[in-house]
Amino acid sequence: MIKGYGVFCDVDRHFYDTPHRRGAAEAGGPAFEAAERPVPSGWRSHREGDWLALRPIAHRLPEQGWKIHVSARLDNAEPVLARVWDHCVEQGLAFKFVPTPRLLHNRNAKYADRGSSGKFITVYPADEQEAGAAAAALDGLVGGEPGPYILSDLRWGAGPVHLRYGSFTRRYCYDEHGEAVPALERPDGALVPDRRGPAFRLPEWVEAPAFLRPHLEARTADTVTGLPCTVERALHFSNGGGVYAGQDRTTGEPVVLKEARPHAGLSADGADAVERLERECAALEQLAGLDCVPGVRGAHEVGGHRFLVLEYIEGRPLNTFLSRRHPLIGADPAPERLADYAEWAMRLHGRVEEAVAAVHGRGIVFNDLHLFNVMVSEDESAVVLLDFEAARAAGDRARQTVANPGFVAPADRRGFDVDRYALACLRISLFFPLTSLFAVDRAKAAHLAEEAARAFPHAREFLERGAAEILRDADGGSAGRPVTAGEAAVGSAGGADTPGAGGQGAPFPPVAPGDWPRSRDSMAAAVLASATPDRDDRLFPGDIAQFATACGGLSFGHGAAGVLYALAESGAGTDSGAMEWLLRRAKEPGAGSPLGFFDGLAGLAWTLARLGHRAPALELADRVLAEPWEAAGPGLHGGTAGLGLVFDSLAADTGEADLRAAALRCAELSAQRVLSAPGDRRRAGLLHGGSGPALLGVRLYERTGDTALLDSARHALQADLDRCVTGVSGALQVDEGWRTLPYLGEGSIGIGMVVDDYLQHRRDEALERVRPQIVRAAQSRFYAQPGLLRGQAGMVLYLSRTTAPADPAPDSDAVRERERALARQIDGLSLHSMRYRGHLAFPGEQMMRLSMDLATGTAGCLLALAAARGDKPTGLPFLPPLRRREAAGPAGTTE
């Protein structure tokens, strides 16, 4: 799970949404009293995402400087805020605060962003002198009040006042990866990233003022030397603290240290990391002597942080064994291998069941069973359960308060039933780790069990038992009988069914993805049914990236532009109301909007032009040209490769020389930056690597005939191929050091698409040799996500377009084998299929909610299926269908 997605699940059962949109009555009670106060005379107030901001109308803030943050716990937030409000209004200090207890809880939650966690109130002094005076005054008013340590800041005294030098206004620059990030201005006027990580750091040109030096010295004095163990390496971090591998100083025994930060890392019941660590210690002491739990070696407090020292358990998490062994990661596993895997999965599950039963025998509910919390010995003879911070006595009958998204029990499960539900999810996860979809529709369990049983018939009874447990009523009333979609929806949502649940008895999938054009019409209906034209931030729900920038909800990757492109290209048509929404919002896309193709204004301009709205498209292009676009990174996603392709496309339509010159300049900058990037910091793939600049070079060569552009493209492709490795199955994938990626956006098949285009113009035996290996990467039988850029839909798009053979043997039937592979991938999308108001839809990134966007969700699947089964040629922008040519013949033509 990528941390951060969880808080975007609180507002809507079906879609990710920004937390502040949850009503006050649903957000843990009314807003703080200060949030309901009238705006003082001479002041103005406005909302900024999670924040409510106030400032004197006549007050002009500097662009950057020392800002003050104040933290608080839920139980003292009200009086802390009241005192700070009164002082800021009296002194004319601009400030903002989190207005509801629910939003404050989210900011301090276990998996909240560590760099911004704890920030409850932000005060903006006019200069350094005022910062010192304000910090001292606020410390006098609230100093000593308990609140979490803000990791990005310097704490004043004992807190909860903290300070950090940073930007006051929205300004952006590009980081070393070419991504748009918040910016600070150096003394020479250059913009550089405003680093907001979980550690206090000063910009290199800023000297700490004298009033901060005592607090800097106090910070430096905080160490972990008081522990009886050494800390050797970090294993894991959350907002609640770290987990470290270490060694006992006296015995030399390897140990694990679990750190708990006070007042931070809140769980659903409000318990902080310290309280949960105490629960873990108590549970493990009650379980002492069991060989399926780690032993306690001691508990300590250093610098206000608590540490639990545990026995170090040799082995690897269960998810590691799953990824090593799962046969559907390959293209065509033999029946014997499928049967062997099923036997292994059932055997390992049996060992986990025995461990859970032993824990239950001591009267403890584990409450957080999932693939990552089960340690398996290397010889697979033993399992140990890890992470008992959520454990409770069975008699408490408590709900889960911390859980993996794929193993969250319904609200009606209590006590041992919580673990039984997780064990049932584990049955299915060992075959298809997609159980996070049950949060959207619990009836999906029966579909996944059936699909897994089709692939692994030896495990049919085992899987059906898991589905029955997941779908049963709390009292067991529905065990062993079918559960309707309506009943499952009530269980998963914890309340009555909603209009979006999909209708009782609707099957999975509502329409088979390959049943074109019925699947097109169904996906288009789902997309349009999800529209929210009354909102300004987004029209179609998608990834949480929609909320990260001013124009995220408009963008090509995650916003309305990409959705409307997919609808039009698939033959579903363009909704006039949606088009009007996009045109209206495109007039004022918002300050600080990124410039790039997938994330910003360039992609918006290109889409408007593509859909017949040239005038507003050119206005947006002029905005981009007026910005410092040459400082962007080299990639297609948000950098100069994407900008250059847009400039070139608009220049071809309009003949404008400025756009043509800008496109050529983009090609020059992209090529330079790809080849000059250090190898260890060089990204690979279509979106962020050399393949984007290579694509720009190929398209400009087609326009100009300049062979130097092809030379440049070849070098950029090689930079990406140098980051690839060939696996045991013969598949070529991008190597990220800790994982390999086949995907369209950041993996090998995106590189393969541009290799195909390059070979349309120039012979290259080395590139021809890698093409079958890339096709092999697109033939796995299981991908964790369905999305276009990071999932199975990308495989569908690639296989529908490529002319590369699936088998390099000269006598192979390349076309037939590729078509078989394509049909398998289209059918495979059924596994991820969901329903929205009775129509076919797909989940987004992290599989916790549906998505309608192009990059991660339903619109991307629609575009991929249109390319494979539609009536007209289509595909991603700047990657049109190829002239058909089989690699078994000549290696290409030279133009």
Side-chain angles (χ1 to χ4, degrees):
M1 179 185 71
I2 295 177
K3 298 169 188 175
Y5 276 80
V7 297
F8 289 86
C9 295
D10 287 347
V11 177
D12 189 288
R13 185 184 130 206
H14 293 95
F15 303 112
Y16 295 120
D17 209 342
T18 185
H20 74 263
R21 294 192 66 87
R22 186 164 183 164
E26 296 177 317
F32 293 120
E33 179 273 333
E36 306 290 350
R37 294 182 183 182
V39 178
S41 177
W43 287 63
R44 68 169 50 131
S45 171
H46 68 282
R47 287 294 298 259
E48 296 178 356
D50 287 358
W51 299 94
L52 178 61
L54 293 97
R55 68 179 179 88
I57 294 173
H59 191 47
R60 289 188 61 84
L61 287 173
E63 298 280 358
Q64 61 195 46
W66 286 98
K67 61 177 73 174
I68 299 170
H69 292 118
V70 180
S71 66
R73 300 192 321 188
L74 292 173
D75 60 2
N76 68 338
E78 193 86 71
V80 167
L81 175 57
R83 288 175 227 159
V84 175
W85 168 292
D86 291 342
H87 178 78
C88 288
V89 170
E90 179 184 329
Q91 298 298 317
L93 291 166
F95 68 106
K96 65 181 182 182
F97 61 94
V98 177
T100 71
R102 180 62 181 236
L103 291 175
L104 180 58
H105 181 282
N106 285 347
R107 284 191 160 267
N108 292 335
K110 179 176 180 180
Y111 287 113
D113 178 72
R114 296 172 68 227
S116 60
S117 179
K119 296 175 183 177
F120 174 37
I121 308 168
T122 306
V123 181
Y124 296 95
D127 53 37
E128 187 175 287
Q129 181 177 359
E130 189 171 72
L138 290 172
D139 182 63
L141 290 170
V142 300
E145 287 280 357
Y149 195 130
I150 300 173
L151 297 176
S152 64
D153 289 25
L154 178 65
R155 185 169 64 183
W156 184 288
V161 176
H162 300 71
L163 291 95
R164 185 181 83 85
Y165 190 94
S167 177
F168 285 14
T169 59
R170 277 190 177 182
R171 290 189 294 176
Y172 292 87
C173 67
Y174 294 93
D175 66 10
E176 62 271 21
H177 300 299
E179 299 294 318
V181 295
L184 286 171
E185 184 176 339
R186 288 193 321 218
D188 62 3
L191 293 179
V192 297
D194 181 8
R195 307 289 185 183
R196 301 181 179 188
F200 175 70
R201 65 174 74 190
L202 279 171
E204 59 185 18
W205 68 90
V206 175
E207 182 178 350
F211 62 78
L212 286 181
R213 287 174 193 157
H215 310 290
L216 276 170
E217 292 169 2
R219 176 180 178 273
T220 305
D222 285 339
T223 69
V224 293
T225 55
L227 286 172
C229 311
T230 62
V231 175
E232 297 177 347
R233 68 185 189 278
L235 301 175
H236 171 72
F237 284 109
S238 74
N239 188 38
V243 181
Y244 310 92
Q247 189 176 66
D248 187 284
R249 296 180 191 272
T250 303
T251 66
E253 177 191 9
V255 293
V256 167
L257 296 90
K258 296 194 68 173
E259 173 195 24
R261 298 176 55 222
H263 320 307
L266 305 183
S267 53
D269 61 352
D272 69 358
V274 171
E275 184 176 346
R276 290 200 310 278
L277 196 71
E278 291 171 348
R279 290 178 185 172
E280 177 163 21
C281 185
L284 290 175
E285 288 174 346
Q286 187 169 336
L287 297 170
L290 295 180
D291 59 5
C292 59
V293 301
V296 175
R297 297 293 185 261
H300 309 275
E301 180 174 341
V302 177
H305 291 208
R306 304 287 181 86
F307 290 87
L308 182 63
V309 184
L310 301 173
E311 171 190 6
Y312 183 90
I313 304 298
E314 297 286 351
R316 296 178 185 273
L318 179 53
N319 71 295
T320 302
F321 285 88
L322 184 151
S323 61
R324 279 181 183 174
R325 283 179 166 270
H326 205 297
L328 297 187
I329 293 174
D332 194 17
E336 296 80 12
R337 191 175 174 212
L338 295 172
D340 288 346
Y341 180 83
E343 290 296 330
W344 172 85
M346 291 187 287
R347 184 172 65 253
L348 259 293
H349 188 275
R351 293 203 171 103
V352 177
E353 277 190 314
E354 291 171 0
V356 172
V359 170
H360 287 182
R362 297 282 184 93
I364 296 293
V365 181
F366 186 20
N367 265 332
D368 195 16
L369 175 68
H370 57 82
L371 288 165
F372 295 83
N373 275 358
V374 177
M375 188 69 78
V376 182
S377 62
E378 288 293 349
D379 64 2
E380 302 178 2
S381 63
V383 301
V384 174
L385 306 180
L386 304 179
D387 201 356
F388 278 78
E389 66 176 43
R392 302 293 288 268
D396 291 351
R397 302 290 295 170
R399 286 188 60 183
Q400 280 177 300
T401 57
V402 175
N404 180 282
F407 294 77
V408 178
D412 56 13
R413 305 292 171 100
R414 293 286 195 278
F416 294 147
D417 273 351
V418 172
D419 288 347
R420 294 188 184 110
Y421 181 89
L423 283 166
C425 289
L426 184 62
R427 287 174 181 259
I428 294 175
S429 284
L430 284 167
F431 293 90
F432 290 136
L434 304 174
T435 54
S436 56
L437 296 174
F438 301 165
V440 181
D441 191 340
R442 193 154 37 120
K444 183 69 177 177
H447 180 237
L448 288 182
E450 176 59 32
E451 290 294 312
R454 283 177 53 197
F456 302 91
H458 290 75
R460 176 172 289 278
E461 182 182 356
F462 173 86
L463 290 159
E464 288 176 346
R465 287 179 60 192
E469 172 63 28
I470 290 165
L471 296 173
R472 75 170 174 84
D473 290 334
D475 61 2
S478 66
R481 70 169 176 82
V483 178
T484 68
E487 289 173 328
V490 169
S492 61
D497 197 7
T498 65
Q504 291 193 6
F508 289 101
V511 179
D515 185 6
W516 193 269
R518 288 184 65 233
S519 60
R520 175 199 65 196
D521 297 341
S522 187
M523 285 184 281
V527 168
L528 294 174
S530 74
T532 53
D534 56 317
R535 291 177 60 158
D536 287 331
D537 59 337
R538 60 109 160 121
L539 178 61
F540 300 108
D543 190 68
I544 67 173
Q546 291 184 324
F547 310 112
T549 66
C551 71
L554 286 71
S555 68
F556 189 84
H558 298 294
V563 173
L564 292 179
Y565 170 78
L567 289 171
E569 289 293 305
S570 68
T574 301
D575 182 80
S576 60
M579 194 71 242
E580 290 172 5
W581 185 95
L582 185 61
L583 287 167
R584 183 177 69 252
R585 287 289 288 111
K587 292 178 182 178
E588 294 295 336
S593 292
L595 306 181
F597 183 80
F598 275 88
D599 64 348
L601 301 183
L604 185 53
W606 183 88
T607 306
L608 292 178
R610 177 81 170 189
L611 298 179
H613 301 275
R614 179 184 289 184
L618 291 176
E619 289 177 10
L620 282 170
D622 287 341
R623 287 194 189 195
V624 175
L625 287 171
E627 296 288 334
W629 56 268
E630 290 186 336
L636 175 63
H637 181 269
T640 49
L643 296 177
L645 287 161
V646 171
F647 294 152
D648 174 62
S649 176
L650 294 176
D653 288 345
T654 64
E656 290 196 15
D658 287 350
L659 290 169
R660 176 78 68 214
L664 293 171
R665 176 61 174 156
C666 283
E668 178 185 358
L669 291 171
S670 295
Q672 288 175 354
R673 288 169 181 162
V674 165
L675 298 179
S676 64
D680 60 343
R681 285 167 48 188
R682 183 183 294 160
R683 300 178 74 177
L686 181 64
L687 292 185
H688 304 287
S691 297
L695 177 61
L696 174 58
V698 170
R699 296 284 91 97
L700 288 177
Y701 163 75
E702 292 169 346
R703 198 84 71 190
T704 66
D706 183 355
T707 58
L709 290 163
L710 277 187
D711 296 338
S712 170
R714 181 64 178 85
H715 291 309
L717 282 172
Q718 192 60 50
D720 272 5
L721 291 170
D722 288 344
R723 290 287 312 279
C724 294
V725 294
T726 304
V728 293
S729 67
L732 189 76
Q733 300 191 39
V734 171
D735 182 9
E736 290 199 326
W738 62 285
R739 63 178 179 178
T740 57
L741 299 179
Y743 301 119
L744 178 59
E746 298 175 76
S748 55
I749 68 162
I751 302 170
M753 292 185 81
V754 184
V755 166
D756 288 346
D757 284 54
Y758 177 88
L759 289 171
Q760 295 273 306
H761 303 293
R762 182 179 283 178
R763 300 172 186 271
D764 192 307
E765 292 184 3
L767 292 183
E768 287 287 4
R769 285 196 296 271
V770 304
R771 296 175 81 212
Q773 297 175 295
I774 295 175
V775 174
R776 194 74 175 165
Q779 293 188 71
S780 293
R781 297 288 296 275
F782 174 74
Y783 296 93
Q785 300 188 141
L788 183 65
L789 298 183
R790 284 169 52 89
Q792 195 153 14
M795 310 303 161
V796 172
L797 181 63
Y798 169 69
L799 290 172
S800 71
R801 181 182 191 268
T802 187
T803 58
D807 188 329
D811 58 348
S812 65
D813 188 337
V815 175
R816 181 174 299 176
E817 180 55 36
R818 194 170 54 239
E819 283 298 318
R820 282 198 293 264
L822 174 59
R824 284 197 302 267
Q825 298 299 18
I826 291 173
D827 182 61
L829 280 172
S830 295
L831 185 66
H832 301 87
S833 65
M834 299 294 286
R835 53 203 181 187
Y836 183 69
R837 301 195 177 183
H839 304 297
L840 177 61
F842 289 93
E845 186 76 22
Q846 300 301 294
M847 309 288 287
M848 295 160 68
R849 290 293 185 268
L850 305 182
S851 169
M852 299 300 176
D853 71 28
L854 184 131
T856 71
T858 306
C861 295
L862 172 62
L863 183 67
L865 289 167
R869 294 290 183 257
D871 298 329
K872 69 168 187 172
T874 190
L876 277 175
F878 319 117
L879 284 162
L882 298 170
R883 300 192 308 274
R884 305 310 293 182
R885 146 188 105 72
E886 298 309 325
T893 58
T894 302
E895 296 182 0

